[in-house]
């Protein structure tokens, strides 16, 4: 059965292309209040661990995301700490504290533990250096908190809370940058990005996650050093892109990647959408249209949730929205009357999408799902203004397969016209299509549509063994099933024999 989608409001085509509004700037008083409340909530972990390390003669500090997010009013159960203790001492101390222990990060000085629903990772002070041609850091242990914080990516991630006294440590002004919602590096951005080029992608990702702006000097360094990203492995680039696209404000991050030239190296299909326009050849701004489709697909994500629950960000539907028109630059044709055509950009776009996702080491399932959506995103518009036969509806469901619900989201999100009458007409037409799918699904089990005779029955009726002819017969019966709906076994047998006898 095709699951019925939850009714949610349609996205309203925006009056402009601005991103969803980022959060408002915070006052210092509000920041302090939020931090105090979060530290009180974390007290069962912080106070016990702080005393444990202090009694052993070592420093312990809560660091990174948990400190930053405490100021933003966000809660964590996974906590990161840094310590003066070497890994073997950390392991000994945590073994008596946690109910489970792991050391997969020992090479980087990290020991992890779990207790009562809390997950902690404690890392020895680090001082890292990078080979300019290497993808991986050379890890060396440091001897101070300030040096450890100074090697972190951004000032908002370079704050700490010393334990057990809960003393706030902010040697690089992260709290001011957080209050003003700006991303800066603790040292010079050139040194930071030279050490780890992936931090350039992390700047875009954090802009998308937090809704922050990026300091001008950081943007300049990203633009000048974009080529350094090529030494980073495809898997690490992929992981940052997924986090960016699944963030609350992906337009902010994607725009930054395009403006700095990083997108030319990690996702070149996106900046390629900025097609030249002139007064004689008219078409939509494909790049801005694409970002708007992405935002509208995000608004429609609740349709993908089952049982009324929020399923969270859906990468496949978001990435399909981002890639749905990437075939347009390759298929653009200028006509004498001033119009522009993009014939077959859906098919070309699916091939480009598959190629890019393979280069970024996505799984086969993800590649298949996104590519299928890109290839099918125009199918709805190929049936006029709603003159859908039952046969067309069956084929639509068959071709979409498990991506039908995501195809509904993508097709609806692809309407960015400011003509309210046209938008409403498209919405009604698609509403009717979904109703038709639901009705036929209940009657015919569309999601599992197959011929009325199976392979064994075909071979027995025709007196043939396994081979190419069985496949041809099977496909013929499937086409009849799609065209006419379910048949009785007698009718299917008669149709198959008629087809068999008419063959050359």
């Amino acid at each position: 059965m095709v699951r019925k989608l939850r009714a949610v409001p349609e996205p309203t085509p925006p009056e402009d292309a601005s991103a969803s509004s980022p959060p408002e700037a915070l006052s210092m008083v509000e920041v302090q209040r939020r931090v105090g409340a979060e530290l009180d909530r974390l007290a069962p972990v912080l106070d016990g661990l702080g005393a444990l390390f202090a009694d052993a003669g070592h420093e312990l500090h809560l660091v990174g995301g948990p400190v930053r997010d405490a100021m933003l009013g966000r809660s964590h159960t996974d906590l990161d700490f840094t310590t003066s203790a070497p890994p073997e001492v950390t392991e000994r101390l945590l073994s008596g504290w946690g109910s489970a222990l792991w050391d997969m990060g020992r090479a980087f000085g990290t020991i992890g533990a779990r207790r009562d629903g809390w997950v902690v990772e404690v890392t020895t002070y680090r001082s890292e250096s990078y080979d300019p041609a290497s993808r991986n850091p050379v890890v060396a242990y440091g001897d101070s908190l300030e040096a450890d914080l100074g090697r972190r990516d951004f000032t908002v991630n370079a704050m700490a809370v010393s334990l057990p006294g809960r003393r706030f440590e902010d040697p690089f002004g992260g709290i001011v940058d957080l209050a003003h919602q700006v991303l800066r590096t603790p040292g010079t951005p050139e040194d930071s990005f030279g050490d780890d080029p992936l931090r350039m992608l992390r700047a875009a990702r954090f802009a998308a996650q937090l809704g922050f702006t990026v300091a001008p000097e950081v943007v300049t360094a990203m633009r000048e050093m974009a080529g350094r990203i090529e030494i980073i492995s495809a898997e690490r680039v992929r992981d940052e892109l997924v986090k960016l696209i699944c963030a609350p404000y992906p337009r902010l991050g994607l725009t930054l990647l395009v403006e700095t030239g990083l997108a030319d190296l990690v996702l070149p299909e996106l900046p390629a959408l900025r097609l030249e326009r002139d007064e004689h050849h008219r078409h939509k701004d494909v790049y801005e249209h694409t970002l708007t489709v992405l935002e509208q697909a995000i608004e429609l994500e609740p349709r993908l949730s089952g049982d009324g629950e929020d399923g969270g960000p859906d990468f496949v539907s978001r990435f399909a929205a981002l890639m749905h028109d990437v075939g347009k630059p390759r298929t653009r044709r200028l006509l004498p009357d001033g119009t522009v055509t993009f014939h077959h950009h859906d098919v070309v776009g699916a091939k480009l999408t598959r190629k890019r996702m393979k280069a970024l080491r996505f799984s086969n399932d993800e590649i298949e799902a996104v590519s299928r959506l890109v290839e099918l995103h125009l199918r709805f518009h190929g049936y006029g203004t709603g003159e859908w036969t039952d046969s067309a509806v069956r084929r639509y469901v068959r071709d979409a397969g498990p991506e039908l619900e995501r195809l509904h989201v993508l097709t609806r999100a692809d309407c960015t016209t400011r003509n309210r009458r046209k938008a409403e007409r498209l919405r009604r037409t698609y509403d009717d299509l979904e109703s038709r799918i639901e009705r036929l699904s209940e009657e015919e089990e569309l999601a599992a549509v197959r011929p009325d005779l199976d392979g064994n029955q075909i071979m027995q009726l025709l007196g043939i063994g396994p081979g190419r002819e069985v496949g041809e017969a099977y496909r013929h019966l499937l086409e009849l099933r799609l065209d006419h709906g379910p048949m009785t076994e007698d009718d299917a047998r008669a149709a198959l024999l008629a087809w068999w006898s008419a063959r050359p």
Side-chain angles (χ1 to χ4, degrees):
M1 293 289 289
V2 178
R3 190 172 79 233
K4 184 177 181 180
L5 298 180
R6 293 198 296 125
V8 297
E10 287 292 306
T12 301
E15 296 297 333
D16 56 48
S18 62
S20 300
S21 300
E24 296 181 0
L26 298 172
S27 69
M28 298 301 288
V29 173
E30 177 62 15
V31 168
Q32 292 172 347
R33 185 196 67 77
R34 291 180 175 183
V35 171
E38 179 64 3
L39 293 182
D40 286 342
R41 190 185 71 87
L42 299 177
V45 177
L46 302 186
D47 295 345
L49 277 179
L52 187 65
F53 277 76
D55 290 345
H58 290 287
E59 299 175 359
L60 183 71
H61 314 270
L62 181 69
V63 292
V67 179
R68 178 198 69 224
D69 287 348
M71 299 178 182
L72 297 172
R74 301 173 182 175
S75 298
H76 280 261
T77 55
D78 292 3
L79 305 177
D80 294 325
F81 297 85
T82 189
T83 182
S84 60
E88 60 271 16
V89 173
T90 297
E91 183 175 25
R92 176 172 56 81
L93 294 175
L94 290 181
S95 64
W97 176 86
S99 59
L101 193 76
W102 57 90
D103 66 349
M104 286 87 76
R106 180 181 290 275
F108 297 95
T110 301
I111 305 295
R114 177 184 295 107
R115 174 175 171 171
D116 298 334
W118 301 94
V119 175
V120 305
E121 289 194 340
V122 182
T123 303
T124 304
Y125 293 154
R126 294 206 316 223
S127 174
E128 292 176 352
S129 61
Y130 289 73
D131 182 330
S134 173
R135 296 175 175 178
N136 300 309
V138 177
V139 177
Y141 297 142
D143 56 10
S144 72
L145 172 65
E146 183 169 346
D148 182 271
L149 295 178
R151 49 158 286 277
R152 296 176 183 266
D153 49 12
F154 303 105
T155 60
V156 296
N157 295 328
M159 300 179 286
V161 176
S162 296
L163 303 169
R166 298 191 188 180
R167 186 178 67 257
F168 183 68
E169 309 282 357
D170 183 22
F172 302 102
I175 191 170
V176 174
D177 287 340
L178 185 139
H180 290 98
Q181 300 180 346
V182 63
L183 293 172
R184 301 182 192 276
T185 53
T188 68
E190 290 79 9
D191 286 344
S192 181
F193 299 154
D195 283 345
D196 186 359
L198 189 68
R199 290 173 176 169
M200 293 185 287
L201 292 188
R202 285 170 64 85
R205 190 248 289 183
F206 279 120
Q209 286 181 330
L210 303 174
F212 286 12
T213 59
V214 180
E217 68 274 13
V218 176
V219 174
T220 297
M222 292 171 66
R223 185 176 292 115
E224 294 176 349
M225 302 179 68
R228 285 275 293 156
I229 201 66
E230 294 183 319
I231 73 168
I232 301 298
S233 68
E235 291 83 357
R236 295 180 74 200
V237 170
R238 174 201 64 207
D239 291 347
E240 288 298 324
L241 286 176
V242 170
K243 292 174 183 177
L244 187 161
I245 291 166
C246 290
Y249 315 104
R251 180 191 283 264
L252 294 179
L254 293 168
T255 300
L256 182 61
L257 292 182
V258 171
E259 291 178 349
T260 57
L262 280 161
D264 292 320
L265 301 170
V266 301
L267 195 64
E269 293 79 10
L270 181 60
L273 294 175
R274 297 182 297 177
L275 303 178
E276 293 182 6
R277 305 176 71 201
D278 58 47
E279 59 183 280
H280 302 296
H281 298 104
R282 302 178 298 277
H283 60 82
K284 284 184 177 179
D285 185 324
V286 182
Y287 172 70
E288 287 297 331
H289 163 76
T290 294
L291 295 180
T292 300
V293 171
L294 170 59
E295 290 179 331
Q296 295 191 163
I298 293 172
E299 291 180 25
L300 288 168
E301 275 182 350
R303 294 175 60 93
L304 300 175
S305 304
D307 301 322
E309 297 179 358
D310 182 5
D314 184 71
F315 171 75
V316 169
S317 64
R318 292 188 183 200
F319 200 57
L322 189 65
M323 301 293 284
H324 79 284
D325 273 348
V326 296
K328 282 190 172 181
R330 295 275 186 94
T331 58
R332 184 174 184 246
R333 299 292 182 270
L334 309 179
L335 302 183
D337 65 355
T339 59
V340 178
T341 65
F342 303 98
H343 295 310
H344 306 301
H345 77 267
D346 46 348
V347 178
V348 173
K351 293 179 180 178
L352 292 174
T353 297
R354 186 178 298 275
K355 181 179 179 181
R356 178 55 48 199
M357 293 186 75
K358 284 184 177 179
L360 290 171
R361 306 290 193 271
F362 280 96
S363 70
N364 290 336
D365 288 344
E366 290 171 312
I367 294 172
E368 176 60 30
V370 176
S371 300
R372 180 179 297 194
L373 289 169
V374 172
E375 185 170 2
L376 294 177
H377 81 274
L378 287 182
R379 181 69 64 86
F380 164 71
H381 300 284
Y383 289 92
T385 58
E387 303 86 0
W388 286 67
T389 64
D390 285 353
S391 173
V393 174
R394 294 186 192 101
R395 292 174 189 277
Y396 192 79
V397 174
R398 188 271 309 268
D399 292 346
E403 305 311 321
L404 179 63
E405 294 179 13
R406 286 175 169 140
L407 182 58
H408 291 332
V409 166
L410 176 58
T411 303
R412 290 179 181 275
D414 197 22
C415 174
T416 61
T417 178
R418 295 184 182 181
N419 184 323
R420 301 291 178 175
R421 184 174 299 177
K422 179 180 179 182
E424 178 61 21
R425 184 174 67 250
L426 288 171
R427 186 191 66 79
R428 288 197 307 268
T429 303
Y430 207 86
D431 285 345
D432 179 66
L433 172 59
E434 285 199 59
S435 296
R436 296 274 301 284
I437 290 173
E438 184 181 349
R439 176 178 61 78
L440 284 175
S441 176
E442 292 174 352
E443 295 173 357
E444 304 179 12
E445 297 186 4
L446 287 187
V449 64
R450 55 179 56 85
D452 297 285
L453 300 177
D454 62 25
N456 289 328
Q457 290 172 305
I458 291 172
M459 289 188 288
Q460 182 178 5
L461 181 62
L462 300 182
I464 59 177
R468 177 176 54 83
E469 292 173 324
V470 178
E472 292 177 357
Y474 187 92
R475 286 189 290 273
H476 174 70
L477 288 176
L478 178 59
E479 291 299 313
L480 291 179
R481 171 73 170 78
L482 292 169
D483 285 336
H484 305 294
M487 304 170 68
T488 66
E489 185 174 329
D490 288 342
D491 287 344
R493 287 174 175 272
L496 180 60
L497 289 173
W499 170 80
W500 183 254
S501 64
R503 295 174 74 251

